[in-house]
Amino acid sequence: MTSTTARRRSYGVKGAPYAHPSPTTTLERARSAPYLFLLPATILFLLFFALPIGYAIWLSFHKVKVSGLGLGAGARKEVWAGLENYTDALGDSELVHGALRVLGYGCIVVPVMLGLALLFALMLDSEKVRLAPFTRLAIFLPYAIPGVVAALLWGFLYLPDVSPFYFVLDRLGLPQPDLLDGGPLYLALSNIAIWGGTGFNMIVIYTSLQAIPAELYEAAKLDGCSPLQIALKIKIPMVAPSLVLTFFFSIIATLQVFNEPTTLKPLTNSVSTTWSPLMKVYRDAFGEGDIYSAAAQAVIIAFATLVLSFGFLRAANRRQKQEAAR
């Protein structure tokens, strides 16, 4: 490169000297680049997650004080309530009964759903399986259906007047149980959640199975292990972290059950407006207009979910550390 060419490249438009960025400026730009990329996500997180949570907590410590008949300007004032909304929520029998119903619902959903997900994942991971891609899609497909649509679909299948299942049972002279009344209602609601959530959990567990080195299977076969022994002694222990993760997600989904009972409520009188805790929060906030009490109940539900979830994670991590120490 000649000196003339070098001089031309060092000048900008109309002969003005071109300022090369200093190493310090380049380093500062490189350091600030990750924060600039994170800025949109941070703004969205603050606006649509942190701010609503903070506002709900603020509402939970307030209430409306009504003066006189509550008519006219200034008759209704928002005042500080302290822990009054929380004490009222914890002493509310409807909220407690809703929590007990959700507990019974979860005792059915979580073990059955995770058991089926693990079974399907092990079957798909077998060497003898046929049409594995189609089978994976068929099992996962119900998860892609929105929860409200799935609840409506199963709800009409539960109605004796329109369900083809009841028509077949009637033709065969078999008993026709009412799945939307009494104890069978728990089975009906659990079936919707299991049908929709098994595919997602199966994919999580199956992905972990695919990450297990094939050398382990070959060594086990050389030692004379059967496919059942390989599944029980190698595959299931190796996917234990995925089982913990899916159990964690299932607990959260169970405590937040809302779509299924709300959608089935018009089809039966057995589902009240307070069947689950979130349904009671919705009724108090939008049905009765008591957003302050509803906010306190929502905070209690969120705190209970947090405690149960992280309590389970700590117990699972402690057990894994003990097994690793052995």
Side-chain angles (χ1 to χ4, degrees), residues 78-306:
E78 190 178 77
V79 297
W80 177 260
L83 298 176
E84 181 179 344
N85 291 328
Y86 288 95
T87 56
D88 293 342
L90 292 174
D92 193 339
S93 61
E94 291 184 337
L95 185 64
V96 174
H97 291 159
L100 294 176
R101 281 190 288 266
V102 168
L103 179 62
Y105 165 83
C107 290
I108 301 174
V109 171
V110 176
V112 175
M113 181 170 59
L114 295 185
L116 289 175
L118 178 60
L119 177 62
F120 291 150
L122 292 173
M123 292 173 63
L124 289 174
D125 193 59
S126 175
E127 297 178 353
K128 298 180 180 180
V129 68
R130 296 292 183 270
L131 301 176
F134 173 78
T135 307
R136 286 198 305 268
L137 179 62
I139 298 175
F140 179 77
L141 188 60
Y143 178 76
I145 299 176
V148 175
V149 176
L152 283 174
L153 171 66
W154 282 102
F156 283 105
L157 291 177
Y158 294 150
L159 288 177
D161 295 335
V162 297
S163 174
F165 299 134
Y166 283 91
F167 175 78
V168 174
L169 292 176
D170 180 58
R171 292 297 182 182
L172 296 176
L174 299 176
Q176 306 174 24
D178 189 358
L179 298 178
L180 296 178
D181 186 25
L185 177 64
Y186 287 87
L187 298 178
L189 291 171
S190 300
N191 175 65
I192 300 174
I194 294 169
W195 180 76
T198 299
F200 171 80
N201 295 307
M202 181 270 297
I203 290 296
V204 174
I205 300 172
Y206 178 74
T207 304
S208 297
L209 287 173
Q210 292 294 298
I212 299 176
E215 292 79 5
L216 293 177
Y217 301 148
E218 295 176 359
K221 291 178 181 178
L222 292 175
D223 291 339
C225 293
S226 64
L228 179 60
Q229 291 175 328
I230 293 175
L232 296 178
K233 301 297 183 180
I234 297 179
K235 292 184 177 182
I236 295 180
M238 293 291 288
V239 299
S242 297
L243 292 175
V244 172
L245 180 65
T246 54
F247 190 84
F248 176 76
F249 289 154
S250 300
I251 289 178
I252 295 176
T254 299
L255 294 176
Q256 296 178 352
V257 60
F258 178 80
N259 290 334
E260 292 83 357
T262 301
T263 306
L264 292 183
K265 184 182 176 302
L267 305 179
T268 175
N269 294 326
S270 299
V271 180
S272 63
T273 55
T274 60
W275 193 89
S276 71
L278 283 186
M279 291 179 67
K280 186 179 186 305
V281 172
Y282 182 86
R283 189 204 66 178
D284 292 348
F286 301 103
E288 300 183 358
D290 189 1
I291 59 174
Y292 306 96
S293 176
Q297 296 174 35
V299 171
I300 292 174
I301 296 171
F303 181 75
T305 305
L306 183 68

Side-chain angles (χ1 to χ4, degrees), residues 38-61:
L38 290 174
L39 184 60
T42 303
I43 294 175
L44 292 175
F45 174 82
L46 293 175
L47 289 178
F48 298 102
F49 190 80
L51 184 61
I53 291 177
Y55 183 59
I57 295 175
W58 185 85
L59 286 175
S60 66
F61 290 103

Side-chain angles (χ1 to χ4, degrees), residues 64-79:
V64 172
K65 182 179 180 181
V66 181
S67 301
L69 297 177
L71 304 176
R76 300 173 64 90
K77 295 181 179 180
E78 190 178 77
V79 297

